[in-house]
Amino acid sequence: MNHLRYSTLLLILFVAFRQDALAQEFRFNAGGGPITLAVQSAIAGSEPTDATDSSTQLYWDANFGVPTKITVSTVSINQSFRLYVRLNVPSQGLGGQGIVQPEIELIHNMADTDLFTDIPSTLPGRQGFGTLIYRAAATVAEGNSNEHLDDVHIVTYTFLAQ
Amino acid sequence: MRISAAQTPPPLPGAIQLAASTMTLSQSITVSVQQINELSISGDVNLVVTTSTPGSGLLPAVDGASATYSLTTNDQGKKIVGSLDASFSPGISLFLLLEGPLGSTSSQQLLSASPIDLVTAIGYSAESDLTLTYTANATVDAAPNGAGEFRTVTLTLMDN
């Protein structure tokens, strides 16, 4: 009888544990599909104007039990131009808590680089969202896509314990 | 009651293991850089031929400070051609010399209604306040034209 009761307790603990694991969440809250940034204008005498995009939003629920962070990396074979990203997190309200890192240059085969750190493990701060701000830049000396082809990046965001 | 207590267990070794797991999202970003060619001119020029040396022709009027141009191109093999909207009266001519961006070749040319090369071999450039030097000549046969003749000079950035 005691043995049966002990088994039942273990089963309940396992179920509770699984529910906890499922509560973690990391997804695109808006956007998330392919994006094209076109550098296509300049003021005569100046370098081309950067192209930006802010249509993508991340959502997270850092129910890992420990502080969490978001990192970024990219793969872009034969990269010719420059691409940057930063995460804009509302400083108040439902934006979540953590530390925003400065804008990051995305370079082919870069190591995972911190984008947003110190996300707490407890509510309400563990849940939040932020807007990804992409910025593409190219100097005249870097030429154009007719010469080099477009850069295609596969940008990966990783949500993990810190 | 025992069940209720079991639903909020203290942290387990397994929870720490779980914290080491990761979740990833990927997004495709394409960076496209179009061919950009921009040219602008600022400043109007007023040239007055007024003096001569006895026994010689009229002295040319030169202005290299009133007008400048700026250029941006992320392409190679470009040139700038220049032309007038209409010719001057007989005996009056206008020459133009452009300061070329680094690595280019420029030469003074007589302007007419037909475009003529002013700067060639232009590569990647983003330079501003490059000088335009105008030289107006008039022969002794040219008729005085009072307030002057107004002409528009057009510069065009194009493929070599």
Side-chain angles (χ1 to χ4, degrees), chain A residues 48-127:
Chain A
T49 304
D50 295 349
T52 61
D53 182 278
S54 57
S55 63
T56 304
Q57 198 174 72
L58 294 177
Y59 173 84
W60 58 86
D61 183 349
N63 190 15
F64 283 91
V66 294
T68 311
K69 67 179 181 179
I70 298 170
T71 65
V72 64
S73 64
T74 191
V75 173
S76 178
I77 298 169
N78 297 326
Q79 181 178 4
S80 300
F81 312 114
R82 284 167 290 120
L83 176 65
Y84 303 86
V85 69
R86 65 182 172 87
L87 184 67
N88 183 30
V89 179
S91 58
Q92 295 180 344
L94 299 176
Q97 296 174 6
I99 298 175
V100 174
Q101 301 301 308
E103 184 181 60
I104 296 164
E105 182 173 1
L106 300 175
I107 300 171
H108 172 60
N109 268 348
M110 64 190 287
D112 285 344
T113 303
D114 289 352
L115 182 69
F116 189 58
T117 62
D118 298 283
I119 304 171
S121 58
T122 56
L123 290 171
R126 78 178 196 207
Q127 295 177 331

Side-chain angles (χ1 to χ4, degrees), chain A residues 5 13 24 33-39 43 45-46 56 134 140 144-147 150-151 153 155-157 159 161, chain B residues 2 6 9 18-19 21-35 38 40 71-74 124 127:
Chain A
R5 186 177 299 163
L13 285 173
Q24 298 162 17
I35 292 171
T36 296
L37 291 164
V39 176
I43 296 171
S46 301
T56 304
Y134 291 103
V140 293
N144 59 70
S145 291
N146 277 13
E147 299 171 329
D150 293 343
D151 286 352
H153 290 257
V155 181
T156 299
Y157 298 95
F159 188 44
Chain B
R2 254 183 279 141
L18 176 67
S21 67
T22 62
M23 303 172 78
T24 63
L25 293 171
S26 290
Q27 186 171 33
S28 172
I29 310 293
T30 298
V31 177
S32 177
V33 179
Q34 309 298 306
Q35 289 174 300
E38 296 289 342
S40 68
L71 165 76
T72 292
T73 179
N74 64 353
Y124 304 132
E127 297 190 33

Side-chain angles (χ1 to χ4, degrees), chain B residues 32-159:
Chain B
S32 177
V33 179
Q34 309 298 306
Q35 289 174 300
I36 298 170
N37 298 290
E38 296 289 342
L39 182 67
S40 68
I41 308 177
S42 64
D44 293 330
V45 177
N46 187 30
L47 294 160
V48 182
V49 178
T50 57
T51 59
S52 67
T53 302
S56 308
L58 300 174
L59 294 177
V62 179
D63 186 322
S66 298
T68 60
Y69 77 101
S70 298
L71 165 76
T72 292
T73 179
N74 64 353
D75 209 354
Q76 299 191 82
K78 296 290 181 182
K79 67 179 180 181
I80 297 173
V81 299
S83 63
L84 292 175
D85 57 339
S87 298
F88 286 99
S89 300
I92 298 175
S93 57
L94 180 65
F95 290 80
L96 176 57
L97 172 64
L98 267 61
E99 176 188 9
L102 190 65
S104 65
T105 302
S106 62
S107 58
Q108 187 184 53
Q109 298 291 343
L110 173 64
L111 296 178
S112 70
S114 299
I116 189 167
D117 290 356
L118 295 168
V119 185
T120 59
I122 298 173
Y124 304 132
S125 302
E127 297 190 33
S128 58
D129 297 329
L130 297 168
T131 60
L132 295 91
T133 302
Y134 287 95
T135 302
N137 288 318
T139 66
V140 291
D141 299 329
N145 57 8
E149 297 176 37
F150 179 87
R151 295 290 182 270
T152 299
V153 176
T154 299
L155 301 182
T156 304
L157 177 64
M158 57 189 297
D159 290 336

Side-chain angles (χ1 to χ4, degrees), chain A residues 129-149:
Chain A
F129 63 90
T131 300
L132 291 169
I133 312 293
Y134 291 103
R135 179 171 67 90
T139 63
V140 293
E142 290 168 333
N144 59 70
S145 291
N146 277 13
E147 299 171 329
H148 304 298
L149 301 178

